[in-house]
Amino acid sequence: MSVRRNFGVVAVVVGVLVAALPVSAAAASVSTVSVQATGGRDLGTLGGHYGDGQDINNRGQVTGFAQTADGRYHAFRWTASGGMQDLGTFGGASSWGVDIDELGRVTGWALTSDGARHAFRWTPSSGMQDLGTLGGDWSSAVAINNRGHVVGSATLTSGDQHAFVWTASGGIRDLGTLGGPTSTATGINDLGQVTGNADRADGTSGAFRWTASGGMQDLGTLGGPSSSAVATNLLGQVVGTADTADGSLHGFLWAPSAGMRDLGDFQPTVLNARAQIGGLVPRWDEKSAERAARWTASGGIQDLGAQRGDGSLDSAATAINELGEIVGYDGFRAFRWTSSTGMRYLPGDSPGGYGSAQAINLRGQIVGSWGDETEENRHVFLWSP
């Protein structure tokens, strides 16, 4: 699975690969945006007009959702040998695949016959498993780690929503809150450490890190009332945004040994194990509201460029791999950014194509969707270097 944050959906760091990767100390300059015309592959749909790849593991297996011939959306798993496989539902109309681990296990949500949304874990051997709820009628998963642990959010009998972690041995476990009524999980690493956001007793909300031994830890703020976490890595570092004392919203990097570090006017969305962070920066002085950016300890905030010279379209980073390669969207185009090439468009079907990149693996393979500007005809794409 890639290191990914799709605005609410966080994937896990593939920790066994981290130690072998060289670390570059220098931040690269932004190069001119160009069209990358090689490597694009149309993975199609499940018979309908629309599909989107949400995640890819290091074996090149893909999950996401695609439209069926009757117009419904189903979760899928795609492999080079088997093509696109419909993962089904729990008797309802729709399902959605959001994350895949290195063993090809998928998590996401599916509708039951009475229309309730339930989190699932799908495996090649046993198919789709209902992970249940916390007593209510709703649950949804956002990430799976390489131990098969799943995190997400589910409702209680009261209707309040709490973060959960699910394991094969222990089932679904309520992670609680920070004293208030609700919480949500946003990610899990291969050590089983969970991050997310929870209400406090005073009505504010706080980013949290949960461990089996220590429970839920409030990560604090940058001097203001609230904070929000979006991603975690194998080192237990967490990124997100937090209020400052003067009312601004700044990005943060939290580490177990150092606490919360202010990253300035930067909103993280994705994180790898080198603490390289993808995200966006507000550009209120231009026609676009936000631009894709990255942050590193050595280089600080770096604007990744834009589709148009006048910066008239928004862009953002949606995924990063352990090599620091970033993908996302720039206006209506999917992009790949590396320190050597800068921002380049994908999948290269034509300069006028539309799409968005959602995930990238260690091999540099990228998944997302592409098609026409109507957003009614989009197919899943796989791009390989």
Side-chain angles (χ1 to χ4, degrees), residues 296-317:
T296 62
S298 60
I301 301 170
Q302 177 186 1
D303 190 326
L304 299 187
Q307 182 181 26
R308 299 182 180 180
D310 63 1
S312 60
L313 293 175
D314 295 341
S315 61

Side-chain angles (χ1 to χ4, degrees), residues 14-300:
V14 183
V16 295
L17 301 169
V18 174
L21 299 176
V23 178
S24 173
S29 61
V30 177
S31 68
T32 303
V33 177
S34 63
V35 174
Q36 185 137 346
T38 60
R41 179 176 180 179
D42 187 342
L43 302 188
T45 69
L46 290 169
H49 300 289
Y50 193 96
D52 199 352
Q54 295 289 290
D55 195 26
I56 183 170
N57 65 18
N58 289 315
R59 301 163 71 181
Q61 300 170 334
V62 178
T63 194
F65 61 93
Q67 193 177 41
T68 62
D70 61 1
R72 300 180 178 187
Y73 291 94
H74 282 193
F76 71 82
R77 188 183 77 143
W78 181 93
T79 64
S81 59
M84 187 176 287
Q85 177 182 1
D86 188 335
L87 302 189
T89 72
F90 292 130
S94 303
S95 60
W96 202 290
V98 299
D99 200 21
I100 187 168
D101 71 8
E102 292 306 311
L103 297 179
R105 297 173 295 202
V106 176
T107 198
W109 59 264
L111 296 184
T112 65
S113 57
D114 59 2
R117 179 183 293 194
H118 280 198
F120 74 78
R121 188 181 78 150
W122 180 96
T123 69
S125 60
S126 59
M128 184 177 284
Q129 177 182 1
D130 191 334
L131 304 189
T133 72
L134 294 171
D137 59 4
W138 178 93
S139 65
S140 186
V142 297
I144 184 170
N145 70 11
N146 287 318
R147 299 162 66 184
H149 300 173
V150 176
V151 293
S153 304
T155 52
L156 313 179
T157 54
S158 64
D160 290 329
Q161 178 178 299
H162 281 197
F164 74 80
V165 61
W166 179 96
T167 65
S169 60
I172 193 168
R173 177 176 180 177
D174 188 339
L175 301 189
T177 73
L178 293 172
T182 68
S183 62
T184 59
T186 56
I188 184 172
N189 63 21
D190 282 344
L191 299 178
Q193 299 165 341
V194 180
T195 195
N197 307 295
D199 293 333
R200 302 188 181 102
D202 63 2
T204 62
S205 61
F208 74 77
R209 175 175 175 258
W210 179 93
T211 65
S213 59
M216 186 176 288
Q217 175 184 3
D218 190 333
L219 302 187
T221 73
L222 293 170
S226 298
S227 60
S228 178
V230 297
T232 187
N233 66 16
L234 189 66
L235 302 178
Q237 296 170 314
V238 177
V239 293
T241 56
D243 296 327
T244 64
D246 65 1
S248 300
L249 186 68
H250 282 192
F252 74 79
L253 170 65
W254 182 93
S257 59
M260 187 174 285
R261 176 176 179 175
D262 191 335
L263 303 185
D265 197 10
F266 173 70
Q267 298 178 29
T269 54
V270 290
L271 168 71
N272 70 13
R274 298 177 178 174
Q276 297 171 327
I277 306 167
L280 55 93
V281 289
R283 297 297 294 263
W284 303 113
D285 58 329
E286 300 187 11
K287 295 179 182 179
S288 59
E290 55 196 33
R291 291 271 288 273
R294 76 164 185 163
W295 182 95
T296 62
S298 60

Side-chain angles (χ1 to χ4, degrees), residues 311-331:
S312 60
L313 293 175
D314 295 341
S315 61
T318 55
I320 187 171
N321 66 13
E322 300 303 349
L323 298 176
E325 299 169 337
I326 294 173
V327 298
Y329 64 85
D330 178 32

